[in-house]
């Protein structure tokens, strides 16, 4: 199989997203890689976007929604999606309240409550936070490692810049009778690159609008620009890479195959896959023999489905991977020459 060079991956990129099916060891792999990068001298930020938040368990210490120094060159942060939704909608509420007439306030609050539970609301708020992290981290860190939520959630998140226009438009639908606001929303159509040199500068996009509409339009256009900038960074193979983690079992293999295809269609580079918890050669007994035979069949199927994607196999460890010393041992195995 094509061998995945994790050392080069950590040394040459600015952003690494680690994802896969739930329960395959994403957090362990992300944590170990972040620690390895820190040990290579790279200032590394490890960010969890998974609502389950296992970073604290992996490092055996509290982390939370504020940056915490875990080791030399290593900082970690657990983004709380629920809190992000609340703060995102509070910002929207404050912005909309400036323009809503008193008789519209009740309808506005109703719309915001519906938005709180709407499909994509959590991803929208999370993406806004992640774009901020990506921008700010470039000044302070050499590498950002994202421990992502299970595959489906992550794919929705990565596709969000294309659908954010519809979300913004829905939130503002009650105002769309305004011809001027219609002009603003036309700048937020999915796929439109607001930073492209062929598009008009923001001051020209807002030209001719009254002050009220300009104040409403400017943050929407800026938010969409930030989302598109984040998407371009994720699509740049010199800057970002996506690494899948899976185990040699049927469901993780099938899910990974579909996810790799989806990301490639979306133009997001996939660096490779870590095949986790492979039985070590020394395992003995009839049970392990049968298990190994099945595992070998799964590894052959994995090779057929994922070739030519580079891969690295990691054996099943005797004990849980928890704490700095255990993560360093796991990282050493990940980066070792096969």
């Amino acid at each position: 199989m094509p061998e995945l060079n994790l050392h080069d991956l950590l040394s040459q990129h600015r952003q690494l997203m680690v994802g896969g099916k739930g329960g395959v060891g994403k957090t362990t792999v992300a944590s170990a890689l972040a620690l390895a990068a820190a040990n290579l001298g790279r200032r590394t930020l490890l960010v969890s976007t998974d609502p389950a938040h296992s970073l604290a368990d992996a490092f055996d210490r509290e982390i939370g929604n504020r940056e915490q120094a875990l080791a030399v060159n290593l900082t970690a942060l657990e983004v709380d999606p629920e809190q992000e939704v609340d703060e995102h909608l509070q910002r929207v509420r404050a912005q909309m309240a400036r323009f809503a007439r008193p008789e519209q306030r009740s309808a506005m609050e109703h719309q915001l409550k519906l938005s709180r539970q709407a499909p994509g609301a959590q991803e929208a708020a999370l993406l806004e936070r992640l774009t901020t992290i990506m921008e700010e981290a470039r000044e302070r860190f050499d590498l950002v490692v994202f421990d992502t939520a299970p595959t489906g959630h992550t794919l929705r998140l990565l596709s969000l810049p294309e659908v954010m226009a519809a979300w913004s438009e829905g939130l503002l639908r009650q105002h769309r009778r305004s011809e001027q606001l219609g002009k603003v929303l036309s700048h937020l159509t999915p796929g439109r690159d607001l930073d492209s040199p062929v598009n008009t500068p923001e001051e020209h996009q807002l030209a001719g609008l009254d002050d009220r509409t300009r104040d409403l339009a400017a943050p929407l256009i800026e938010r969409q620009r930030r989302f598109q900038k984040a998407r371009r960074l994720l699509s740049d193979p010199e800057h970002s890479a996506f690494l899948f983690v899976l185990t040699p079992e049927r469901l993780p293999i099938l899910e990974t195959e579909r996810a790799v295809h989806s990301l490639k269609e979306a133009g997001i580079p996939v660096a490779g896959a870590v095949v986790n918890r492979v039985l070590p050669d020394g395992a003995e007994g009839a049970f392990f023999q049968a298990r190994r035979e099945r595992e070998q069949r799964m590894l052959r199927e994995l090779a057929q489905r994922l070739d030519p994607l580079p891969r690295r196999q990691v054996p099943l460890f005797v004990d849980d991977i928890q704490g700095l010393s255990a993560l360093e041992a796991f990282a050493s195995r990940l980066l070792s020459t096969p």
Side-chain angles (χ1 to χ4, degrees):
M1 69 176 180
E3 189 66 32
L4 175 63
N5 189 325
L6 290 168
H7 186 281
D8 286 352
L9 194 65
L10 296 179
S11 302
Q12 298 173 4
H13 289 78
R14 296 295 306 274
Q15 197 162 271
L16 177 63
M17 302 194 79
V18 181
K21 186 176 175 60
V24 298
K26 295 187 307 298
T27 296
T28 300
V29 171
S31 299
L33 289 175
L35 185 57
N39 288 337
L40 292 172
R42 304 204 76 191
R43 297 168 300 167
T44 304
L45 176 64
L46 174 60
V47 181
S48 171
T49 67
D50 189 341
H53 287 323
S54 300
L55 283 188
D57 297 329
F59 285 92
D60 197 23
R61 56 166 294 178
E62 290 187 10
I63 296 177
N65 203 21
R66 290 186 176 183
E67 291 183 7
Q68 300 286 338
L70 301 182
V72 176
N73 292 326
L74 180 59
T75 302
L77 170 68
E78 292 177 329
V79 177
D80 184 346
E82 293 294 327
Q83 181 178 335
E84 294 305 319
V85 172
D86 290 338
E87 293 180 359
H88 175 78
L89 291 180
Q90 184 57 40
R91 290 191 294 272
V92 173
R93 177 182 288 106
Q95 178 185 340
M96 296 293 292
R98 299 168 55 196
F99 307 103
R101 294 188 297 272
E103 64 271 19
Q104 293 177 316
R105 296 293 176 86
S106 177
M108 183 189 76
E109 288 296 330
H110 179 67
Q111 178 67 36
L112 288 171
K113 287 180 181 178
L114 291 178
S115 298
R116 179 68 175 77
Q117 304 300 327
Q122 188 177 96
E123 286 91 344
L126 188 57
L127 181 62
E128 187 163 3
R129 176 69 185 281
L130 293 187
T131 58
T132 301
I133 291 174
M134 290 178 191
E135 290 178 355
E136 294 179 351
R138 298 184 69 174
E139 302 296 325
R140 302 168 47 222
F141 297 97
D142 303 311
L143 174 67
V144 182
V145 178
F146 289 100
D147 171 31
T148 72
T151 310
H153 182 282
T154 299
L155 292 178
R156 290 195 301 274
L157 177 65
L158 295 178
S159 68
L160 201 59
E162 282 78 7
V163 299
M164 271 304 294
W167 188 88
S168 298
E169 185 172 340
L171 187 62
L172 296 165
R173 189 164 293 152
Q174 62 176 318
H175 294 279
R176 200 167 186 185
R177 292 188 301 271
S178 165
E179 181 181 349
Q180 290 193 329
L181 187 56
K183 296 177 183 178
V184 170
L185 294 174
S186 71
H187 292 298
L188 300 177
T189 51
R192 182 181 177 93
D193 187 350
L194 297 177
D195 277 340
S196 171
V198 302
N199 284 329
T200 56
E202 182 174 331
E203 59 268 21
H204 291 166
Q205 294 171 7
L206 300 177
L209 302 180
D210 58 44
D211 291 342
R212 177 178 180 275
T213 309
R214 286 175 63 93
D215 288 345
L216 184 61
L220 289 174
I221 292 175
E222 176 58 26
R223 183 178 297 126
Q224 189 74 348
R225 176 177 286 111
R226 291 172 60 205
F227 288 160
Q228 291 175 343
K229 183 178 181 180
R231 179 57 186 268
R232 281 198 301 275
L233 290 177
L234 289 171
S235 303
D236 181 359
E238 299 297 321
H239 184 277
S240 304
F242 201 104
L243 180 69
F244 280 99
V245 181
L246 71 159
T247 51
E249 298 168 289
R250 175 62 55 79
L251 293 183
I253 291 171
L254 295 176
E255 183 168 312
T256 301
E257 180 187 27
R258 290 192 295 268
V260 168
H261 180 70
S262 295
L263 289 184
K264 286 185 175 180
E265 279 193 335
I268 295 177
V270 179
V274 171
V275 186
N276 197 20
R277 300 173 187 159
V278 177
L279 285 176
D281 293 336
E284 298 178 350
F287 172 82
F288 286 110
Q289 178 63 30
R291 183 75 183 180
R292 191 191 310 281
E293 290 174 359
R294 179 184 180 279
E295 184 178 85
Q296 289 302 312
R297 292 196 303 272
M298 291 296 98
L299 288 171
R300 288 192 293 270
E301 179 175 341
L302 186 154
Q304 292 174 356
R305 292 181 179 275
L306 296 186
D307 272 347
L309 190 69
R311 300 183 299 282
R312 167 62 61 93
Q313 290 185 190
V314 185
L316 176 67
F317 278 51
V318 174
D319 204 353
D320 293 336
I321 312 300
Q322 188 176 38
L324 283 174
S325 60
L327 286 169
E328 285 183 339
F330 187 80
S332 178
R333 196 62 180 263
L334 273 173
L335 272 67
S336 64
T337 302

